[in-house]
Amino acid sequence: MAQIVLTGASLTVDDVAGFASGDVRVSVDPAALDDAEAAWKLQREAIARRAVYGRTTGVGANKTVVTEGTADDSLRLMRSHAGGVGELMQPGLVRAMLLVRLNQLAAGRSGVHPRLLLAVAEALNSNSLPAVHRIGAIGTGDLTALAETALTLTGERPWATGAIEPVQFGVGEALGFLSSNAATLAEAVLVAVELRKLLRASHAVAALSYIALGGSPEPYATTVHEAKPHPGQVECAAEMRRLLGMTEVPKPGRRIQDPYGLRAFPQVQGPALDAVAYLEKVLTTEINASTENPMISVQDNDVYHNAHFHTAYVAVALDTARATMHHVAELAAARLGDLVEPDQTDLPAFLASGPPGSSGVMILEYVAHDALAQLRQAALPVTLGSAIVSRGLEDHASFSTQAARQAGQVAAAYRFVLGCELVAAVRALRMRAADLVDVPVRAAYDHMDAILDPRMDDRTLTEDVERAAAALSALAAS
């Protein structure tokens, strides 16, 4: 069985995605446990000599209220903040959330005792998961989700699956555990990996449409993209050249100018590739960061009050990624429109095969544009809003939580848009199979040809679209 050893500094987005869905165990590096214990001891010393937020005081606007400094303070904080509502998180997301939080705690700056780290690891390895509600955060700490988790660890709340022996939270350890955006980061990581896969699959789908439409190789030439070398654009053009077996000196196409769906594909796909790569970079930093406020620094023998709980980087990166995905989806819908147009394919309208007036794949455009409309709404920015809470003390919010949720909606909608294009492209190539020469993208065609219904008569296409959408993950590796 695979195992991830957490150090607080080396977790990857692929680790999180694999752990969410796979049979993977987790452990904490012994040195990280030592660091956590040193920070726990320093916290105890610090609260004896100075005011420490959430340890000797209340939280939020109660920062000036001196507390008794007992373990009961921790329990009250967890109980009062465990107020999430709405549907429960799916098990994979909860596993990802716990892994991210455990890795952050392994960085050794939270002030919580190692027993809490070991308890979270035990819960994950036994698939003991808390019941966590999705609604309750605005991008400045997933307080409700982590409070529900903490109360489950103490035994006050029932486990959703499995169970471990209750663990005690000591003085000040509640805030040390709650001070994180682990749930938001987990959701953002899972969708970032999903978007990366869909963008990879987009190359294969666009390449199949290119062949069906008799596209021109000129827009993908190396010389063209050396003249405007944005990284994602260069990457897209190179991948299309690979999939289509293009030579360095392109031959003229059947048209002097292709539609934008083919001709501008690198210029539109490129920003999405760059945006998702940047999102993954931001998330890699965040899942390996010490997000706690206050932060316990053994190195400086002191406590730092800070704002690492704020996730503006994550929110902005998610907003950008969603916007670029919308542009990519628009091109997919445009290519679908080209595929049903006889002037573009030299095939019957709507790729119909039957008596006059047959509809063929006509309905796919309606389905794709419905999904595109949903995607468009989910792509709207959330970072333009804000919130002022806790009696005006906390006067800004990133709403990265909502940005991550909407990114999931974008991915789901784009999967259907791309699935509709894929069904049409495969159908067009079936109608003129001789045009599909032996190039690398042939593997993608063969895969789809084997799983899509071969009938050309007018029939329900629901299952075809669903199969195509599900197959995109496999095409990402083609």
Side-chain angles (χ1 to χ4, degrees):
M1 184 183 298
Q3 177 163 298
I4 298 174
V5 179
L6 299 179
T7 66
S10 58
L11 190 64
T12 69
V13 294
D14 287 316
D15 287 337
V16 177
F19 190 84
S21 59
D23 191 12
V24 184
R25 292 182 64 83
V26 65
S27 64
V28 182
D29 185 273
L33 292 174
D34 291 341
D35 291 343
E37 183 169 11
W40 172 74
K41 291 179 178 178
L42 176 56
Q43 173 194 257
R44 292 173 64 87
E45 296 170 5
I47 61 178
R49 57 182 164 85
R50 59 166 293 187
V52 179
Y53 176 79
R55 271 73 168 183
T56 65
T57 74
V59 298
N62 287 334
K63 65 185 179 67
T64 58
V65 179
V66 177
T67 61
E68 296 177 355
T70 66
D72 284 343
D73 292 337
S74 286
L75 277 173
R76 284 197 302 274
L77 182 63
M78 291 186 286
R79 290 166 180 160
S80 66
H81 282 57
V85 298
E87 64 182 11
L88 294 178
M89 293 183 186
Q90 292 296 309
L93 178 55
V94 176
R95 281 175 58 82
M97 175 193 76
L98 292 178
L99 182 70
V100 169
R101 188 62 189 123
L102 181 56
N103 187 63
Q104 293 173 330
L105 294 173
R109 298 185 183 91
S110 68
V112 305
H113 193 276
R115 68 177 177 277
L116 295 179
L117 281 70
L118 294 174
V120 174
E122 181 186 354
L124 286 171
N125 289 332
S126 62
N127 200 34
S128 300
L129 303 178
V132 181
H133 292 89
R134 284 179 62 79
I135 297 177
I138 55 175
T140 56
D142 295 322
L143 300 176
T144 61
L146 290 168
E148 290 175 339
T149 300
L151 282 180
T152 306
L153 288 169
T154 67
E156 283 206 7
R157 288 172 62 93
W159 292 87
T161 62
I164 65 171
E165 288 296 316
V167 61
Q168 181 180 0
F169 280 70
V171 176
E173 290 185 288
L175 184 61
F177 188 86
L178 305 187
S179 190
S180 164
N181 294 280
T184 296
L185 295 177
E187 188 159 10
V189 164
L190 296 182
V191 76
V193 172
E194 170 76 351
L195 291 176
R196 186 214 302 160
K197 290 179 181 178
L198 290 174
L199 287 173
R200 286 178 177 173
S202 299
H203 294 117
V205 177
L208 291 175
S209 293
Y210 172 98
I211 296 173
L213 292 164
S216 169
E218 290 181 17
Y220 300 96
T222 301
T223 300
V224 169
H225 295 282
E226 285 176 345
K228 195 175 81 165
H230 290 296
Q233 175 183 316
V234 170
E235 177 187 346
C236 174
E239 182 63 4
M240 291 294 283
R241 291 195 300 271
R242 181 189 73 81
L243 288 169
L244 294 165
M246 291 180 180
T247 60
E248 288 301 314
V249 181
K251 299 177 182 179
R254 65 191 292 262
R255 291 174 290 268
I256 190 171
Q257 290 265 65
D258 279 338
Y260 281 5
L262 295 179
R263 180 158 44 111
F265 182 53
Q267 289 81 1
V268 177
Q269 173 91 341
L273 292 170
D274 289 340
V276 172
Y278 175 69
L279 173 60
E280 291 192 32
K281 181 179 178 181
V282 168
L283 292 172
T284 300
T285 297
E286 293 280 346
I287 63 178
N288 290 289
S290 297
T291 60
E292 297 82 18
N293 174 46
M295 183 182 78
I296 314 300
S297 173
V298 174
Q299 178 182 359
D300 291 356
N301 193 37
D302 209 345
V303 175
Y304 290 92
H305 296 90
N306 68 89
H308 277 345
F309 53 82
H310 202 293
T311 49
Y313 272 103
V314 178
V316 171
L318 282 165
D319 270 9
T320 303
R322 294 198 319 280
T324 59
M325 291 301 301
H326 176 253
H327 288 288
V328 171
E330 285 187 317
L331 273 200
R335 289 191 299 271
L336 174 58
D338 295 333
L339 287 166
V340 302
E341 173 54 56
D343 289 344
Q344 299 289 350
T345 62
D346 293 330
L347 293 170
F350 306 113
L351 305 177
S353 179
S358 294
S359 297
V361 299
M362 179 190 294
I363 199 64
L364 292 184
E365 285 191 279
Y366 296 82
V367 176
H369 279 279
D370 185 347
L372 183 59
Q374 295 179 46
L375 192 159
R376 184 179 301 115
Q377 290 301 309
L380 293 174
V382 300
T383 54
L384 300 183
S386 190
I388 300 175
V389 298
S390 197
R391 298 174 60 196
L393 179 68
E394 298 172 7
D395 50 8
H396 189 267
S398 72
F399 290 103
S400 61
T401 308
Q402 290 67 36
R405 288 183 197 144
Q406 290 183 202
Q409 296 170 25
V410 164
Y414 182 53
R415 187 173 280 273
F416 282 121
V417 174
L418 204 57
C420 288
E421 180 192 355
L422 181 55
V423 169
V426 171
R427 185 181 179 107
L429 291 170
R430 281 172 170 169
M431 297 177 77
R432 47 196 284 180
D435 290 349
L436 188 65
V437 295
D438 189 16
V439 293
V441 78
R442 177 66 185 256
Y445 171 79
D446 289 342
H447 181 78
M448 298 310 304
D449 187 47
I451 64 176
L452 292 181
D453 192 325
R455 292 176 297 157
M456 294 288 187
D457 56 313
D458 281 2
R459 57 182 177 79
T460 300
L461 296 174
T462 300
E463 189 171 342
D464 290 65
V465 175
E466 290 176 344
R467 286 183 179 180
L472 291 172
S473 296
L475 263 59
S478 64

